[in-house]
Amino acid sequence: MIFVMLTTRVVFSCLKNTWRFHYGRTTRRTTRVASSFLSTPYSTKCSTVENVDTLPIETKEEVSQSSTLPTTKLPGDERQAQEIIHNLSDEEKKKLKIIQYEYDLASMGPHPKIPSDVTDEMWLELLQVCENSSQRLKKLKFWYSTEKSRMADARKKERRRLLMEERRKEREEMGGVWNKILIHIRSQTMNKHYSNNLSNAILYGQHIVFDLDYDRFMKPQDIRRAAEQIQDGHGYNKVSKDPYHVVFCNARKQDQTMMQLAKYRQNQSYKSDSIEPYDLYTFTEKSYLDMYPKERIVYLSPNAPQVLKSYSNEDVYIIGAFVDQSDMKPRSYSKAKREGIRMAKLPLDQHLE
């Protein structure tokens, strides 16, 4: 009986240590091993493949794909993240090296679900936002899934390019016959048309305001979702026959939401002779209380007691750029009540199930 108990205890201890090794748990054992690597540069600890020719064909393809993977990006400036990491305290540098060693341990598993490349911005988020190894592992898995989605989109784009090339060759074999009945309207022409509508909205359109004063209440993933929703709103607004003139209040350049919107703006594929839509919007650090009369302002809040039953062209509607998936407190309601302005909620319950 004693022998069976000892054997069971040894087996469970081995399983527990294996679990810690594969999933990078920050235990006493991991901390002791990591402390011996604190004086070693991270580049010497990363696992590399010295001879690719000795690997199987499948492994060669994975190595070649991982070497061309795009770098995962997060909100913020990469140079700013490098400066912050360079100016870390000794205790924070020690913690960062332990996090990097956890990344190495997670990459040694049979099927590691971690991104192939980690930027300085990502290391900084793992250091400042994630409180324990479990949260860091969850964040790495999220970045891994994002990376896989990007690779799938790249493969889809390549297949589409090959298909278009095949169709072009077929047309050439048929004598170069092209369809002259339906005129092709280029995207550059449509962008000029949308910019013209937004230019008219500056003079004659109704103003709608996005309040960007909620960065301190949101996590990085919520800030990304807020910027994506603002981008979606811009897409619907520019194709409208009567677009709004969009005003961004409390828009400070150092805030994460503004940095994310700037990244979307850099990704816009506009030609040099066309006007970018975001140049036709108003960005200001002022509050909407300093720009519009108080009696005309209506703050749209999901926690407002009254439902918006009628729409007025004379009112200025405020939308809080706040994603409350992690913070369910009525932030916009309390802000509107504190400022003494009218508030209303959209009748979504009456039209959506």
Side-chain angles (χ1 to χ4, degrees):
M1 180 64 68
I2 297 176
F3 176 77
V4 174
M5 293 175 62
L6 290 175
T7 305
T8 306
R9 186 172 182 179
V10 169
V11 170
F12 275 96
S13 177
C14 293
L15 291 175
K16 190 175 182 181
N17 290 333
T18 304
W19 175 270
R20 291 173 179 172
F21 177 80
H22 285 299
Y23 292 90
R25 302 293 186 183
T26 308
T27 59
R28 295 179 180 176
R29 175 177 177 271
T30 306
T31 306
R32 287 198 304 269
V33 176
S35 61
S36 62
F37 284 81
L38 295 181
S39 58
T40 307
Y42 176 66
S43 58
T44 61
K45 299 195 295 288
C46 294
S47 57
T48 58
V49 179
E50 297 180 355
N51 190 2
V52 182
D53 297 332
T54 60
L55 298 177
I57 298 177
E58 295 80 2
T59 310
K60 291 180 182 179
E61 294 178 354
E62 293 177 359
V63 172
S64 61
Q65 290 178 2
S66 63
S67 61
T68 59
L69 286 176
T71 304
T72 305
K73 291 292 184 181
L74 292 177
D77 190 5
E78 183 69 19
R79 291 175 296 180
Q80 184 180 2
Q82 291 177 357
E83 293 177 359
I84 295 176
I85 292 178
H86 181 71
N87 297 325
L88 290 176
S89 62
D90 294 338
E91 187 66 26
E92 290 175 334
K93 289 181 180 179
K94 182 177 179 181
K95 182 179 178 182
L96 179 60
K97 288 187 177 182
I98 293 178
I99 293 174
Q100 291 172 344
Y101 186 68
E102 289 180 2
Y103 174 83
D104 289 342
L105 289 179
S107 64
M108 295 178 184
H111 302 287
K113 294 184 178 182
I114 58 175
S116 59
D117 190 13
V118 181
T119 63
D120 291 334
E121 290 178 278
M122 298 164 70
W123 287 125
L124 195 61
E125 183 171 350
L126 292 174
L127 177 65
Q128 296 180 347
V129 179
C130 301
E131 299 177 355
N132 50 49
S133 59
S134 178
Q135 294 182 4
R136 290 191 287 269
L137 181 62
K138 186 177 180 180
K139 179 66 67 174
L140 289 173
K141 288 183 178 179
F142 170 74
W143 289 336
Y144 170 78
S145 61
T146 304
E147 186 179 76
K148 297 292 286 185
S149 300
R150 243 191 350 265
M151 292 173 57
D153 293 340
R155 289 193 295 267
K156 184 178 179 181
K157 187 176 181 179
E158 181 64 19
R159 288 196 299 267
R160 180 177 177 82
R161 188 190 66 82
L162 296 176
L163 180 61
M164 296 300 294
E165 184 69 18
E166 183 179 354
R167 291 179 178 177
R168 186 186 64 82
K169 292 180 180 179
E170 291 178 357
R171 292 192 186 99
E172 290 178 355
E173 292 176 357
M174 295 175 60
V177 179
W178 294 87
N179 187 1
K180 300 295 183 179
I181 299 176
L182 301 177
I183 300 176
H184 175 68
I185 301 177
R186 300 182 181 274
S187 58
Q188 185 178 356
T189 305
M190 294 303 301
N191 289 334
K192 290 182 178 179
H193 171 69
Y194 297 148
S195 298
N196 183 55
N197 286 348
L198 295 177
S199 301
N200 292 331
I202 297 177
L203 301 175
Y204 310 110
Q206 184 177 359
H207 288 202
I208 190 168
V209 179
F210 281 96
D211 184 13
L212 303 183
D213 197 22
Y214 292 96
D215 271 21
R216 60 187 181 276
F217 302 120
M218 292 188 292
K219 294 182 178 180
Q221 58 267 27
D222 294 333
I223 292 176
R224 287 195 296 270
R225 294 189 185 101
E228 289 174 359
Q229 293 180 17
I230 293 175
Q231 182 73 4
D232 292 339
H234 156 67
Y236 287 112
N237 184 55
K238 72 175 184 179
V239 300
S240 175
K241 295 181 179 179
D242 187 16
Y244 290 96
H245 176 59
V246 182
V247 180
F248 295 90
C249 291
N250 300 310
R252 294 171 287 272
K253 292 183 179 180
Q254 66 273 15
D255 290 347
Q256 292 295 321
T257 303
M258 281 294 295
M259 291 182 180
Q260 189 68 21
L261 288 175
K263 186 176 295 185
Y264 281 125
R265 179 176 175 177
Q266 293 174 0
N267 293 336
Q268 297 288 346
S269 58
Y270 292 96
K271 303 296 182 182
S272 58
D273 57 345
S274 62
I275 302 176
E276 295 184 3
Y278 277 104
D279 292 336
L280 302 174
Y281 293 155
T282 300
F283 290 85
T284 177
E285 296 184 2
K286 296 181 180 180
S287 173
Y288 42 83
L289 297 174
D290 301 329
M291 301 178 62
Y292 305 100
K294 202 171 184 178
E295 58 273 7
R296 290 181 56 195
I297 298 177
V298 178
Y299 209 112
L300 299 178
S301 172
N303 304 108
Q306 297 180 354
V307 179
L308 185 65
K309 296 182 180 180
S310 60
Y311 180 83
S312 175
N313 293 323
E314 302 297 328
D315 292 335
V316 178
Y317 295 96
I318 314 294
I319 300 175
F322 177 54
V323 175
D324 55 355
Q325 291 188 358
S326 58
D327 187 356
M328 303 300 293
K329 297 180 181 179
R331 300 288 184 184
S332 57
Y333 170 77
S334 60
K335 184 178 182 181
K337 189 174 182 180
R338 183 172 60 254
E339 294 174 346
I341 58 179
R342 290 183 294 162
M343 66 186 82
K345 65 179 179 180
L346 298 175
L348 301 179
D349 297 336
Q350 303 176 7
H351 301 281
L352 299 178
E353 295 182 359

